[in-house]
Amino acid sequence: MSVDLGVLAAPEAAPEAAPAVPATGLVAAVDGVRLLAARHAADADTGRSLSREVTDAIREAGFARHFVAARFGGTEGSFADLTRAVMSVGEGCAASAWCASLAAYSARFASHLPEQGHQELWGAGPDTVVATGLMPAGRARQADGGWRVTGEWAYVSAVDFADWVMVCAAVAGGEGPPQLRFFTLPRGTYTVRETWDSIGMRATGSHTVVVDDVFVPAHLTFDRTDMLTGRNGASRVSAHNVPFQAVGGLTFIAPVVGAATGALAACTGSIQGRRRNQTAELTVVRASGRIDAARHLVAENAQVLDQRLFTPEHMARNERNATFAAEILREAVALLVGAAGTGGLGEGHTLQRFWRDITSATSHVALQYDTAARKNYSAVLLGPEG
């Protein structure tokens, strides 16, 4: 979901640095989530949804609160710690990691709401789960004290267990291109149409949200430009003031790195159980190199965000890193399927699920060169078009 806006400027003033994640927070809890998600992964894939036990574990581990302000009991955590945690969960279940990642990043998006909106979402506690439809759809018209919103938003992951949804709609009226705003709606004010039928990432519940002329008060909406530029008038928390281009595909590529690591473990386990040969050994070595390279690129993206290196070069490289990581992870899992042989594609084999999940996840628009890295990073390498 990278946005083709050329180079986005950094916030005018750097907010206070984010404190370190406490030892009792996300990092300490993630191993348990990974193991639990792995135990439920096959059933989640077959049933096309995460179990309540897994979604509760994602919430309780601190993913939803990771970017929430400390004054509401949130962690104000780092991008690096979240990235490591998401990759870890992905080793057990890609869909669980995907939903955990989006639970964290959606709270970061919601930080652009006015102060009264912060109070409504997190006043009772920091673990509110928000699902986000980033792509513009639908229409909004002004009403007394707010807006009336109508539309449909496809591919809203984690909507099955979200407390709120945030959707992007065009504002009716005015001259020139329509203004785009985000609108936040509590569960019960929208309906969910079960449209997600992908062969991979089946359990993400990325269904369609339907909103029919619902009133959204002014404190539950904000201008999309605020999120794109990273200028946040409602919060000085470091992670709440980050240009969208800099984040790029990090939200979506971190679960894939974890899934590829899980695929490698599944493949090597199957090879160890039968006769080894030089071809299989070479193939898994080649695949492991691609997975490690992707992991380093993704970790670099998180470091850029935590160090607030919002230069055009760094932000464009983050986009390039995410899309290239997606490319080499697809190559890696294809190698692993080849090394495992026919047995690796059996319905009961973990490897085939990771293969389907990685194939599906890397089709995401945020991980495509033409919609993410090509224009911005080519300008870094070649200069602007003449």
Side-chain angles (χ1 to χ4, degrees):
M1 296 191 180
S2 177
V3 181
D4 184 12
L5 294 179
V7 174
L8 296 175
E12 293 176 358
E16 298 174 5
V21 175
T24 56
L26 183 62
V27 174
V30 73
D31 285 346
V33 180
R34 182 186 69 250
L35 295 173
L36 179 67
R39 287 200 301 271
H40 287 267
D43 288 340
D45 181 64
T46 302
R48 306 191 74 90
S49 66
L50 299 179
S51 70
R52 177 64 180 270
E53 189 176 1
V54 170
T55 60
D56 283 352
I58 289 171
R59 192 190 299 258
E60 291 165 7
F63 283 97
R65 81 175 77 107
H66 186 75
F67 287 132
V68 174
R71 62 196 178 96
F72 294 115
T75 304
E76 293 188 17
S78 70
F79 288 93
D81 282 339
L82 176 64
T83 300
R84 285 192 292 269
V86 168
M87 289 192 293
S88 180
V89 175
E91 294 177 28
C93 174
S96 297
W98 186 273
C99 290
S101 182
L102 286 166
Y105 281 100
S106 291
R108 197 188 75 82
F109 299 148
S111 73
H112 289 280
L113 290 169
E115 171 61 23
Q116 188 178 348
H118 289 216
Q119 294 290 341
E120 189 153 349
L121 261 67
W122 302 300
D127 294 316
T128 302
V129 174
V130 182
T132 305
L134 284 174
M135 298 303 290
R139 287 286 184 269
R141 55 185 174 83
Q142 276 193 294
D144 187 22
W147 307 78
R148 300 204 72 88
V149 181
T150 299
E152 297 186 5
W153 289 262
Y155 309 129
V156 183
S157 299
V159 71
D160 286 344
F161 67 100
D163 304 302
W164 296 73
V165 299
M166 180 178 295
V167 295
C168 184
V171 174
E175 299 180 357
Q179 179 195 20
L180 298 173
R181 297 187 68 85
F182 279 98
F183 299 90
T184 315
L185 299 90
R187 177 177 286 277
T189 61
Y190 55 87
T191 58
V192 177
R193 194 163 67 243
E194 294 189 357
T195 55
W196 181 240
D197 62 355
S198 174
I199 65 165
M201 303 296 280
R202 289 174 172 173
T204 59
S206 303
H207 299 306
T208 298
V209 169
V210 181
V211 179
D212 185 12
D213 193 30
V214 175
F215 175 75
V216 178
H219 67 272
L220 291 177
T221 177
F222 62 90
D223 192 317
R224 180 173 177 257
T225 304
D226 295 342
M227 187 184 76
L228 298 180
T229 60
R231 295 190 178 96
N232 192 326
S235 173
R236 290 187 58 80
V237 173
S238 179
H240 297 172
N241 291 263
V242 176
F244 187 75
Q245 183 194 1
V247 180
L250 183 59
T251 310
F252 308 103
I253 193 60
V256 184
V257 176
T261 305
L264 178 62
C267 178
T268 56
S270 68
I271 291 174
Q272 288 168 354
R274 58 187 175 90
R275 184 177 298 176
R276 289 169 54 165
N277 57 66
Q278 290 183 351
T279 300
E281 290 175 347
L282 175 60
T283 302
V284 296
V285 168
R286 292 174 63 205
S288 71
R290 285 165 169 78
I291 295 167
D292 281 351
R295 184 182 297 275
H296 286 301
L297 290 172
V298 171
E300 181 181 68
N301 281 17
Q303 185 179 44
V304 164
L305 298 174
D306 286 330
Q307 294 182 358
R308 305 190 64 76
L309 303 176
F310 302 143
T311 66
E313 294 79 9
H314 281 96
M315 292 194 294
R317 190 173 66 188
N318 270 19
E319 292 179 309
R320 189 281 313 272
N321 284 359
T323 52
F324 181 65
E327 180 178 63
I328 60 177
L329 290 171
R330 284 193 301 269
E331 294 173 354
V333 75
L335 287 168
L336 294 173
V337 167
T342 304
L345 294 176
E347 284 284 348
H349 202 294
T350 304
L351 179 59
Q352 58 80 25
R353 186 181 71 248
F354 280 125
W355 174 56
R356 288 187 287 104
D357 286 344
I358 291 168
T359 300
S360 180
T362 55
S363 71
H364 195 281
V365 65
L367 302 178
Q368 306 304 306
Y369 283 105
D370 278 342
T371 50
R374 178 184 58 80
K375 183 174 181 179
N376 291 331
Y377 201 64
S378 67
V380 171
L381 297 174
L382 306 173
E385 293 185 59

